[in-house]
């Protein structure tokens, strides 16, 4: 909501400034035109000859053309300056909103597992809890600890990308095997709604890649599909193809979809679909941003596609099918 209000306020200020500059320019043109007429009238009243009056008139016209040209250049410069200020203002407001959302998301992400861990530890200390129930608590504690570790690692990775010191070691990587094992892993993940993942994975697709880094990138896209489902089921289709030069990995879900304005925004730092005040899904808004940067570190690209809300989302990753780089530093 605040992002919309700030953008609207900036737009109003921009329009007011533009109208003011246009009005000032119009007044200046009218004033200069009157000045020419006044000089011609004065020359006529003083008894100047027709040739002299015409000379005065032409000189003033030439001078005003010169001043007018300079004025147009100045006007364009002012308009460009106003536009740049408007864009900077809007971008600042957007970044402020994204950072506020990030802080709210991180606060929630930290608070929930910490509260769970405290509750589990109290349960383990309680003599009233049977031993068999205590045994079931330990895996849950481990899951919460892994959740905290993942969030901290995401923030550290984001910092590395910002400092341009994130490194990957590129070596022959069986992408088909990685995608297949990732799909199998996610199929075993407990979910609140029915989960289906269909795969059309071409065998023996090899790229130059860092297995751990690329694994995290694919996990980020699949995790996004798991979080933003329609509330009834999670349906994902994973397709891996290659033409010998480029490998293409498509991950399509049938979830909530994206607005056109969100297709590029989802790869921004801290951006999350919806409002932090009403959102129930986990996350800090760094997953897809890190995914994009990790794909770029592999000399690849990732794009999002969606027909709109309720129509699902497709993420397409394109990578070189072969390469010779042994080490690559982003930035």
């Amino acid at each position: 909501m605040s992002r919309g209000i700030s953008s609207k306020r900036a737009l109003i200020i921009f329009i007011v400034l533009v109208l003011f500059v246009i009005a000032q320019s119009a007044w200046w043109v009218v004033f200069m035109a009157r000045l020419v007429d006044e000089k011609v009238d004065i020359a006529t009243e003083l008894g100047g000859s027709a040739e002299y009056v015409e000379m005065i008139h032409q000189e003033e016209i030439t001078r005003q053309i010169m001043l007018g040209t300079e004025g147009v250049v100045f006007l364009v410069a002012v308009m460009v300056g106003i536009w740049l200020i408007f864009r900077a203002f809007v971008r600042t407001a957007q970044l402020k909103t994204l950072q506020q959302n990030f802080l709210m998301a991180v606060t929630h992400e930290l608070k929930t597992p910490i509260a769970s861990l405290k509750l589990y530890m109290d349960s383990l200390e309680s003599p009233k809890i049977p031993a068999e129930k205590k045994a079931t608590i330990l895996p849950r504690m481990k899951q919460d600890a892994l959740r905290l570790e993942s969030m901290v690692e995401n923030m550290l990775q984001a910092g590395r990308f910002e400092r341009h010191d994130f490194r990957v070691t590129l070596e022959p990587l069986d992408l088909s095997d990685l995608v297949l094992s990732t799909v199998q892993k996610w199929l075993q993940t407990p979910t609140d709604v029915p989960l289906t993942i269909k795969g059309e994975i071409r065998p023996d697709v090899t790229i130059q890649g860092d297995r751990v880094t690329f694994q995290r990138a694919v996990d980020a896209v699949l995790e996004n599909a798991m979080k933003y489902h329609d509330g009834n089921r999670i349906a994902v289709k994973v397709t891996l193809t290659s033409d010998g030069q480029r490998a293409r990995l498509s991950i399509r879900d049938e979830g909530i979809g994206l607005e056109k304005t969100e297709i590029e925004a989802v790869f921004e730092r801290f951006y999350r679909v919806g409002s932090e005040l009403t959102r129930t899904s986990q996350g800090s808004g760094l997953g897809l941003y890190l995914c994009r940067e990790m794909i770029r570190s592999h000399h690849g690209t990732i794009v999002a596609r969606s027909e709109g809300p309720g129509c699902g989302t497709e993420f397409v990753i394109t990578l070189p099918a072969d390469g010779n780089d042994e080490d690559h530093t982003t930035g």
Side-chain angles (χ1 to χ4, degrees):
M1 180 65 70
S2 61
R3 178 176 177 175
I5 293 174
S6 298
S7 299
K8 184 177 180 181
R9 185 181 302 153
L11 179 60
I12 292 173
I13 294 173
F14 173 71
I15 292 174
V16 170
L17 288 174
V18 169
L19 292 176
F20 175 77
V21 171
I22 292 174
Q24 287 288 331
S25 301
W27 176 86
W28 180 77
V29 170
V30 172
F31 174 78
M32 293 299 292
R34 287 180 177 176
L35 185 61
V36 172
D37 293 337
E38 288 178 1
K39 287 189 175 183
V40 171
D41 291 340
I42 291 173
T44 303
E45 290 176 0
L46 293 175
S49 64
E51 291 80 6
Y52 178 74
V53 171
E54 181 62 23
M55 183 186 70
I56 294 293
H57 184 264
Q58 290 301 325
E59 286 179 353
E60 287 299 318
I61 292 296
T62 302
R63 189 168 68 89
Q64 290 209 18
I65 290 174
M66 180 185 67
L67 292 175
T69 302
E70 294 175 353
V72 169
V73 173
F74 176 74
L75 176 62
V76 170
V78 170
M79 297 291 283
V80 170
I82 293 175
W83 170 247
L84 292 176
I85 293 172
F86 166 70
R87 286 186 58 189
F89 186 89
V90 171
R91 184 58 180 164
T92 300
Q94 292 174 345
L95 287 174
K96 182 179 179 181
T97 300
L98 289 174
Q99 289 173 351
Q100 289 174 342
N101 288 344
F102 172 72
L103 290 175
M104 293 178 67
V106 168
T107 300
H108 176 75
E109 288 292 292
L110 288 172
K111 185 177 180 180
T112 302
I114 289 175
S116 296
L117 287 171
K118 290 176 64 178
L119 179 61
Y120 291 147
M121 286 188 289
D122 290 341
S123 299
L124 289 175
E125 291 178 348
S126 174
K128 298 180 181 180
I129 304 296
E132 57 272 14
K133 285 192 175 182
K134 290 183 178 180
T136 63
I137 289 176
L138 291 176
R140 296 176 185 175
M141 293 180 67
K142 183 177 180 181
Q143 185 177 8
D144 283 334
L146 290 173
R147 179 178 168 185
L148 286 171
E149 181 183 31
S150 176
M151 184 180 62
V152 171
E153 180 62 26
N154 280 346
M155 289 189 285
L156 291 174
Q157 291 282 38
R160 294 188 187 106
F161 280 116
E162 287 301 303
R163 296 191 303 271
H164 305 289
D165 62 358
F166 179 80
R167 301 181 68 86
V168 292
T169 301
L170 302 183
E171 56 189 10
L173 172 64
D174 189 336
L175 186 58
S176 303
D177 176 70
L178 184 147
V179 173
L180 184 60
S181 62
T182 303
V183 169
Q184 294 298 324
K185 179 186 70 175
W186 281 98
L187 280 172
Q188 299 172 9
T189 303
T191 57
D192 296 330
V193 295
L195 166 65
T196 59
I197 303 180
K198 296 181 179 180
E200 294 181 4
I201 302 171
R202 175 176 173 174
D204 302 323
V205 177
T206 304
I207 65 169
Q208 290 289 321
D210 183 300
R211 186 176 185 89
V212 174
T213 301
F214 199 83
Q215 176 76 66
R216 292 191 63 196
V218 177
D219 281 337
V221 179
L222 285 170
E223 183 181 9
N224 188 77
M226 300 293 174
K227 289 191 294 188
Y228 297 104
H229 56 79
D230 61 5
N232 298 315
R233 67 190 182 105
I234 302 172
V236 182
K237 183 177 181 180
V238 179
T239 305
L240 176 63
T241 60
S242 175
D243 61 4
Q245 297 297 321
R246 309 290 291 180
R248 182 178 182 274
L249 176 62
S250 167
I251 301 176
R252 180 175 181 82
D253 63 64
E254 298 180 10
I256 63 174
L258 295 172
E259 298 278 2
K260 288 184 178 180
T261 56
E262 294 177 319
I263 289 178
E264 291 296 330
V266 294
F267 295 108
E268 295 180 5
R269 281 186 308 160
F270 314 139
Y271 185 85
R272 299 184 71 203
V273 177
S275 169
E276 294 297 335
L277 298 176
T278 58
R279 186 182 294 109
T280 58
S281 59
Q282 301 175 0
S284 60
L286 289 174
L288 290 178
Y289 162 74
L290 292 173
C291 174
R292 182 190 64 182
E293 298 303 315
M294 291 173 182
I295 296 300
R296 286 178 174 176
S297 72
H298 286 72
H299 313 294
T301 61
I302 178 171
V303 295
R305 300 171 181 170
S306 179
E307 297 298 322
C311 297
T313 306
E314 180 184 19
F315 291 91
V316 180
I317 299 172
T318 306
L319 298 153
D322 53 20
N324 297 316
D325 291 338
E326 294 183 357
D327 187 77
H328 175 67
T329 304
T330 61

